Structures are given as structure tokens and as C-alpha cells.
């Protein structure tokens, strides 16, 4: 059974890789349709239509070059042979069984509530099960590594140059730690590897290593994955949920699935840029994580908004250059749909805030944690929020405190 899964995944990957050369299933799409409309003009946070503008000043040029370098990160995962190899370390039977169980619970819940669709699909449950195994049994967190000679704790003494072997395995830097046991005095090296396939062997690290290795394993499982870079020094992934038909936030370090408000409303951080990179290009997904820019938005001063748009289009064009026209068209459609979704996120949050400010309307903590759900359910109804009694309601301008009892 597992062998069959592996074979199916492997074949799917090979097909994916040759997608640009193989005829697309809907290659005659254009013959029956109007000419492709141009993409909508990009709406920035302030909703001003933008015209992509090439960077001119030194700072913006540096930012552009940094984004291009970051964009290469998830491209390192696109190696079918190594992905097959990586998958051998994954206990697929256990993960599929767990996903199956959760998926059935979800279906039963949906049926009992009279919902047509369960909240999570099988693939969503699969990601959660993979993350649970990855965090609990596979990858470990390292602050100070233990001494390899005597097992004592160590203290950081600085950075060292990577050895030839460490360099060959993709380590750009090495942290040096000294054993705390005086009679041992061993120096422990902690190379920071960037190669997800090397990380399958070392199986340890911090946020960077965790996200890199987990993202690659999701690719190995045949999922569409994005690597999210955040300018405030955090990284995570997004996975395209075929059930929910949208990109879903997944943070393997925190064990969180679909909780994009974690960093702002949860941790109280301000975020400036959250950029998604994948083999299909780049997207500015800041609006998924920052719903209220006044409260949680960091300064976006590395370049102008039109320049950021220019660089994102540049990366998209680069990645999609060799794709067949229908595939480019499909991706462009996805971009437009996502842009709409992200704009709606902001609208939903504004509506929530408005309701909160109404006399007597108390936004209970549970509402916040359910806000994502509400956001999804209210896509066509951005004014829908949970009222003080937990009932879903609309903000009512004639609302009086006594109505709340
Ligand atoms: Zn020691």
C-alpha cells in the first residue's frame, strides 16, 4: 500500500516537473474565450492603484536583489530524486491513518451540524498529521547544542568559518559552543545548513531549518507549498488547500495550522513584509497576516509600493517564463483571486473593529480565535460578526445596550 502511495507521489512529481513541455489538458481554452484581460491593477494597503516601477535608489536596488535571492530558496526543493529519497523517512502509513481519522471526525461533525462541507478536507488533515509527526518525532529544536564528547551543556563563544565539508553541505555559517565541563573543554560546532536534504540527516535547528525541511517534506508529499519570508525575522510556509481552495498558513515551529493572526494579535508583533515564494513566483501576502495596518503594520520603507510590485512581477515572470500559456493564464487567475481574498481580509477586520466599538458589543476572546472561520464564512458578507451572545449578527447602527441581554 505504502509502496503504491510512494509510486503515485513520484509519478505525480515527474508529471508536475514536465508540466511546461506536456500539452495542458485545457490547451484549447483560448479558442473558446475572449482575449485574456489584463490583470487588475494592484491595490496597495491604501487601495491606491499602482503602476509597477523599477527601483532607482540604492536601498530599493538592494531590496530587489535580496528578494531575488530569497526567491531561490523554495527552488532548492524541486528535485524529484531527492524528494523521493526524503519521503522514505516519512512514516506514511501512520500519517495517512491519522489524517483519515481526523478527516472522518470532521465529516461527522459537519453532518451533525447540517453543514454541506466539513471544515477541513483530507489533505488539510494530512498536513496537520505530517506536522505533528515532524514536531514530535522527527526534528528537534536547538538553542545551544550539547557537547558531543560528554553530553554537558555548552556556551556560545562566537562564529566560525565553515569547513570544506560543511560548505559542501550548504552551511553558510557555523556557530561555535564551548563545553561547560572544565576538564572536557570540547568545542562543539553548529553549522547552519540551508539544504533541506542535508537537514533530513541532521534533523535539528531553529526556525530556518525547521521551516526549510518541513516545506520540502510537504513538496515530497505532492503538495503545493510556499516559503514565507517575514522581514521581522521569522519564516513559515503556506500550503494550497484543495478543499478550502486557498493558501493556508502553516507554522511548523509553532505547530499552527491556519492561524495567520498568530504573529500580530497573538504575539503582539508589528510586521512590515510577508512575502511568499514558490516555484510559481512571489506574492506579497502581508495582508493575510496583518489585518489592521494601523495597529500591527510595520514600516514598509525598503522600497516604494510600486517598486515592490515591480519586483514581484519580475520574479513571477522569471518563474513562469517557460510555462505553457494556459498554465500562465491559470496562475494569473489565481493571483487575481488571492488579491481579492486579501483585500477582503482587511474589510472583514475593519467590520469586526467597527462592531467592537459599538455600545454593548463585546468581542469575546473566543470570537478572535474564531475570527478566521468568520472571515472565511463571511467572504460574501464582510459585515457578519459574532455578537455578544455568541450569535452571528450584523452591526446595527440602531443597536442599544439593552438589546444585548
Ligand atoms: Zn564536554
Amino acid at each position: 500500500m505504502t509502496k503504491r502511495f510512494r509510486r503515485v507521489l513520484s509519478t505525480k512529481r515527474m508529471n508536475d516537473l514536465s508540466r511546461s513541455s506536456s500539452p495542458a489538458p485545457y490547451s484549447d481554452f483560448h479558442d473558446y474565450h475572449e482575449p485574456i484581460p489584463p490583470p487588475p491593477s494592484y491595490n496597495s494597503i491604501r487601495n491606491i492603484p499602482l503602476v509597477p516601477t523599477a527601483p532607482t535608489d540604492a536601498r530599493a536596488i538592494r531590496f530587489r536583489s535580496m528578494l531575488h535571492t530569497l526567491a531561490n530558496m523554495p527552488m532548492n526543493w524541486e528535485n524529484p530524486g531527492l524528494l523521493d529519497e526524503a519521503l522514505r523517512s516519512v512514516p506514511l502509513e501512520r500519517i495517512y491513518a491519522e489524517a483519515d481519522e481526523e478527516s472522518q471526525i470532521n465529516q461527522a461533525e459537519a453532518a451533525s451540524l447540517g453543514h454541506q462541507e466539513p471544515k477541513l478536507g483530507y489533505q488539510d488533515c494530512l498536513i496537520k498529521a505530517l506536522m505533528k509527526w515532524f514536531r514530535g518525532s522527527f526534528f528537534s529544536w536547538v538553542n545551544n547544542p550539547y557537547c558531543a564528547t560528554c553530553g554537558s551543556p555548552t556556551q556560545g563563544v562566537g562564529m566560525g568559518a565553515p569547513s570544506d565539508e560543511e560548505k559542501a553541505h550548504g552551511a553558510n555559517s557555523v556557530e561555535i559552543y564551548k563545553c561547560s565541563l572544565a576538564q572536557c573543554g570540547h568545542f562543539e560546532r553548529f553549522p547552519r545548513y540551508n539544504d533541506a536534504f542535508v537537514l533530513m540527516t541532521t534533523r535539528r535547528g531553529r526556525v530556518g531549518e525547521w521551516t526549510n525541511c518541513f516545506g520540502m517534506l510537504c513538496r515530497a508529499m505532492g503538495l503545493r507549498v510556499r516559503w514565507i519570508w517575514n522581514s521581522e525575522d521569522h519564516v513559515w510556509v503556506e500550503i494550497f488547500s484543495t478543499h478550502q481552495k486557498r493558501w493556508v498558513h502553516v507554522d511548523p515551529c509553532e505547530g499552527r495550522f491556519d492561524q495567520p493572526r498568530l504573529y500580530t494579535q497573538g504575539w503582539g508583533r508589528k510586521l512590515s513584509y510577508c512575502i511568499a515564494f514558490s516555484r510559481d513566483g512571489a506574492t506579497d501576502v502581508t495582508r493575510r497576516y496583518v489585518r489592521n495596518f494601523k495597529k500591527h503594520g510595520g514600516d514598509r520603507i525598503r522600497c516604494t509600493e510600486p517598486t515592490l510590485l515591480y519586483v514581484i512581477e519580475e520574479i513571477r515572470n522569471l518563474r513562469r517564463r517557460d510555462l505553457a500559456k494556459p498554465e500562465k493564464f491559470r496562475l494569473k487567475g489565481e493571483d487575481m483571486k488571492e488579491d481579492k481574498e486579501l483585500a477582503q481580509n482587511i474589510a472583514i477586520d475593519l467590520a469586526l473593529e467597527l462592531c467592537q466599538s459599538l455600545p454593548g458589543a463585546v468581542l469575546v476572546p473566543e470570537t478572535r480565535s474564531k475570527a478566521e472561520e468568520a472571515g472565511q464564512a463571511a467572504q460574501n458578507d464582510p459585515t457578519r460578526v459574532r455578537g455578544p451572545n455568541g450569535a452571528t449578527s450584523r452591526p446595527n447602527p440602531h443597536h442599544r445596550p439593552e438589546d444585548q441581554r
Side-chain angles (χ1 to χ4, degrees):
M1 190 67 168
T2 307
K3 263 186 195 158
R4 215 173 71 209
F5 279 134
R6 289 185 206 283
R7 218 168 32 238
V8 168
L9 282 171
S10 184
T11 313
K12 182 176 181 298
R13 247 190 324 270
M14 289 312 290
N15 290 341
D16 278 359
L17 273 173
S18 55
R19 65 180 184 175
S20 54
S21 49
S22 63
Y26 40 82
S27 53
D28 53 355
F29 189 86
H30 295 300
D31 302 343
Y32 307 103
H33 287 77
E34 296 294 313
I36 305 167
S41 57
Y42 179 89
N43 284 325
S44 80
I45 297 138
R46 288 172 292 277
N47 288 324
I48 301 164
L50 299 177
V51 179
T53 313
T56 46
D57 62 290
R59 185 174 203 186
I61 290 168
R62 269 203 310 275
F63 190 44
R64 168 183 177 262
S65 139
M66 191 184 101
L67 291 175
H68 273 272
T69 306
L70 291 170
N72 289 326
M73 225 303 289
M75 297 311 290
N76 297 324
W77 301 335
E78 302 298 315
N79 183 325
L82 291 175
L83 288 176
D84 275 348
E85 183 65 37
L87 207 58
R88 285 197 194 107
S89 304
V90 181
L92 289 178
E93 303 86 344
R94 176 180 146 187
I95 288 168
Y96 283 127
E98 246 177 68
D100 208 36
E101 199 184 321
E102 198 189 342
S103 173
Q104 281 178 22
I105 293 171
N106 261 276
Q107 281 176 16
E109 256 175 25
S112 71
L113 292 168
H115 295 164
Q116 278 197 332
E117 291 278 344
K119 195 176 141 203
L120 301 180
Y122 176 74
Q123 186 214 49
D124 300 318
C125 299
L126 194 66
I127 298 160
K128 287 177 77 179
L130 179 72
M131 180 158 66
K132 192 171 156 206
W133 161 80
F134 184 81
R135 290 170 50 77
S137 320
F138 189 68
F139 223 72
S140 57
W141 186 270
V142 173
N143 285 325
N144 289 19
Y146 284 97
C147 171
T149 310
C150 71
S152 301
T154 60
Q155 277 190 330
V157 290
M159 302 296 294
S163 67
D164 287 344
E165 196 192 339
E166 287 162 346
K167 247 190 250 173
H169 286 114
N172 293 330
S173 62
V174 180
E175 295 172 6
I176 311 286
Y177 293 84
K178 190 174 187 231
C179 178
S180 59
L181 194 72
Q183 57 265 46
C184 173
H186 173 74
F187 285 94
E188 188 65 38
R189 298 171 72 80
F190 178 35
R192 304 298 306 272
Y193 292 114
N194 276 330
D195 185 327
F197 301 103
V198 172
L199 293 173
M200 284 299 289
T201 312
T202 64
R203 293 164 55 178
R204 62 172 191 168
R206 299 190 200 117
V207 177
E209 288 93 339
W210 274 64
T211 307
N212 188 354
C213 193
F214 181 75
M216 178 274 287
L217 284 174
C218 290
R219 279 299 291 140
M221 299 282 284
L223 304 166
R224 289 180 70 196
V225 189
R226 284 167 161 182
W227 179 75
I228 315 296
W229 168 81
N230 158 245
S231 50
E232 280 70 31
D233 207 24
H234 193 47
V235 285
W236 58 89
V237 295
E238 280 181 1
I239 295 166
F240 193 82
S241 163
T242 47
H243 176 72
Q244 304 185 57
K245 297 183 184 62
R246 64 182 174 97
W247 287 97
V248 172
H249 156 253
V250 183
D251 188 330
C253 297
E254 301 297 324
R256 304 298 184 105
F257 179 87
D258 200 16
Q259 292 182 27
R261 295 162 194 261
L262 170 70
Y263 314 111
T264 53
Q265 288 163 15
W267 296 359
R269 277 200 191 171
K270 286 189 172 209
L271 307 180
S272 307
Y273 299 97
C274 303
I275 313 284
F277 298 104
S278 73
R279 65 177 196 157
D280 293 328
T283 304
D284 178 3
V285 290
T286 313
R287 287 174 293 172
R288 180 166 291 124
Y289 301 94
V290 181
R291 304 297 174 91
N292 183 330
F293 275 86
K294 235 196 220 160
K295 260 192 214 161
H296 300 125
D299 291 335
R300 288 168 66 100
I301 51 172
R302 303 226 187 163
C303 67
T304 63
E305 295 299 330
T307 296
L308 180 59
L309 179 63
Y310 177 91
V311 178
I312 280 181
E313 286 196 354
E314 212 175 30
I315 295 170
R316 280 181 183 166
N317 291 338
L318 192 71
R319 291 280 174 267
R320 301 174 189 182
R321 194 178 44 197
D322 300 326
L323 297 183
K325 256 190 181 173
E327 180 64 359
K328 281 186 190 171
F329 180 76
R330 192 186 65 76
L331 288 172
K332 201 175 270 185
E334 267 192 16
D335 295 341
M336 287 159 68
K337 198 174 159 237
E338 189 175 19
D339 194 57
K340 203 173 151 196
E341 180 200 325
L342 295 178
Q344 275 173 342
N345 283 346
I346 305 289
I348 289 163
D349 217 82
L350 275 172
L352 280 169
E353 206 181 335
L354 177 72
C355 293
Q356 204 178 9
S357 69
L358 288 171
V362 181
L363 206 60
V364 290
E366 187 228 6
T367 312
R368 274 295 170 201
S369 63
K370 296 252 176 189
E372 294 316 316
E373 247 182 283
Q376 283 315 307
Q379 288 236 333
N380 300 321
D381 188 2
T383 58
R384 209 178 71 164
V385 295
R386 195 169 287 258
N389 301 323
T392 304
S393 63
R394 286 169 186 280
N396 180 354
H398 307 297
H399 179 97
R400 291 168 310 187
E402 56 268 32
D403 292 339
Q404 295 309 318
R405 278 188 231 110

